[in-house]
């Protein structure tokens, strides 16, 4: 069974997840830790739980989901892994400046692996399947743990809402397909951990989220 620890990070209230299992191996999903206390809390949790991070992965390349990558790189030697379609977004300094006029001064680690649809993220006895769910960005993906009926949807699907499609690389048409024809086909009891906000399930979103109908 997997354990999921959520950290709400930065001024944008982004969800960073640490996912581990009984082997103590872990993956870090969307490390958006911006402030020092957020970074320290993540490292403290990993050390106190005696976890061994083996992957640093991103559901997409937007900077609020990657602010803390340098801390994980420095502490554990892990480079971020992101879909190939979002490679250009991983220049966080340029992205932060162009999108929000922010000066991002921290070191930006190099990309460790450009993920494709055929890649699988493994940790301990578990696997995360990479499901392309473009719409919020070209390279938005969902990480799906089939055996645990758990999905990490980034900024594609939120509880009773969805991600924006008006950023560069966003597409309303692709978002509709990702929601209805991809995520909507997952089992109804699939637990959804989103990039912002509280967890939900696919079944609840199909019933109550107007964007899923």
């Amino acid at each position: 069974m997997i354990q999921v620890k959520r950290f709400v990070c930065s001024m944008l209230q982004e969800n960073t997840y640490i996912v581990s299992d009984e082997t103590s191996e872990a993956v870090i999903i969307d490390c958006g830790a911006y402030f020092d206390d957020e970074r320290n809390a993540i490292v403290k949790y990993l050390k106190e739980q005696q976890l061994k991070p083996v992957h640093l992965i991103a559901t997409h390349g937007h900077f609020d989901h990657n602010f803390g990558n340098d801390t994980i790189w420095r502490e554990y030697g892990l480079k971020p892994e992101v879909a190939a379609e979002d490679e250009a977004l991983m220049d966080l300094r340029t992205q932060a400046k162009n999108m929000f006029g922010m000066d991002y001064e921290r070191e930006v680690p190099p990309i460790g692996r450009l993920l494709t649809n055929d890649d699988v993220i493994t940790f301990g006895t578990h696997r995360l399947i990479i499901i392309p769910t473009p719409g919020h960005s070209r390279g938005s993906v969902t990480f799906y743990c089939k055996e645990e009926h758990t999905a990490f949807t980034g900024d594609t699907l939120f509880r009773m809402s969805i991600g924006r499609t008006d950023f560069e690389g966003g597409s309303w048409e692709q978002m509709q397909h990702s929601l209805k024809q991809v995520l909507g086909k997952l089992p109804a009891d699939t637990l959804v951990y989103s990039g912002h906000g509280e967890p939900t399930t696919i079944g609840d979103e199909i019933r109550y989220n107007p964007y899923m109908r």
Side-chain angles (χ1 to χ4, degrees):
M1 179 177 293
I2 60 172
Q3 293 80 46
V4 180
K5 174 68 174 179
R6 177 174 67 134
F7 295 85
V8 181
C9 297
S10 85
M11 61 293 271
L12 296 175
Q13 298 291 282
E14 179 269 352
N15 290 330
T16 295
Y17 297 104
I18 298 176
V19 186
S20 58
D21 69 9
E22 65 280 355
T23 70
S24 294
E25 287 196 344
V27 295
I28 302 169
I29 301 176
D30 288 354
C31 190
Y34 183 79
F35 300 108
D36 286 343
D37 60 339
E38 297 167 349
R39 297 166 181 268
N40 293 338
I42 289 171
V43 174
K44 180 181 179 183
Y45 173 80
L46 289 166
K47 291 182 177 179
E48 286 182 346
Q49 299 299 313
Q50 298 182 345
L51 298 177
K52 177 186 177 183
V54 293
H55 290 283
L56 170 61
I57 55 179
T59 58
H60 62 294
H62 286 154
F63 63 88
D64 58 319
H65 292 252
N66 293 277
F67 276 142
N69 288 348
D70 62 302
T71 291
I72 305 304
W73 184 35
R74 183 179 65 250
E75 292 285 339
Y76 298 100
L78 296 177
K79 300 174 184 178
E81 302 173 44
V82 66
E85 292 82 357
D86 272 7
E87 179 180 8
L89 290 177
M90 296 303 282
D91 180 357
L92 300 185
R93 292 193 184 96
T94 299
Q95 183 191 158
K97 190 70 173 178
N98 290 345
M99 292 180 67
F100 288 96
M102 292 178 59
D103 290 321
Y104 185 71
E105 302 296 338
R106 288 187 177 267
E107 189 172 11
V108 178
I111 296 173
R113 177 168 58 154
L114 292 173
L115 300 173
T116 67
N117 303 353
D118 297 326
D119 288 323
V120 175
I121 305 297
T122 60
F123 66 102
T125 61
H126 289 82
R127 297 159 24 108
L128 296 175
I129 300 169
I130 298 168
I131 303 176
T133 47
H136 182 64
S137 71
R138 293 187 183 92
S140 287
V141 301
T142 290
F143 297 113
Y144 178 50
C145 186
K146 185 176 181 179
E147 59 266 46
E148 301 276 355
H149 285 200
T150 301
F152 299 87
T153 59
D155 285 3
T156 300
L157 177 63
F158 302 138
R159 183 178 181 275
M160 304 305 146
S161 188
I162 62 171
R164 295 173 59 170
T165 61
D166 58 335
F167 292 132
E168 182 180 355
S171 166
W172 173 241
E173 290 75 19
Q174 287 185 329
M175 177 66 84
Q176 287 183 303
H177 182 269
S178 293
L179 293 169
K180 298 176 182 179
Q181 302 303 319
V182 181
L183 295 180
K185 303 300 183 183
L186 295 178
D189 65 344
T190 299
L191 182 59
V192 173
Y193 289 100
S194 302
H196 302 266
E198 297 299 316
T200 184
T201 66
I202 290 295
D204 280 351
E205 295 311 304
I206 291 174
R207 282 191 294 270
Y208 303 119
N209 188 334
Y211 297 104
M212 293 285 284
R213 296 173 187 165

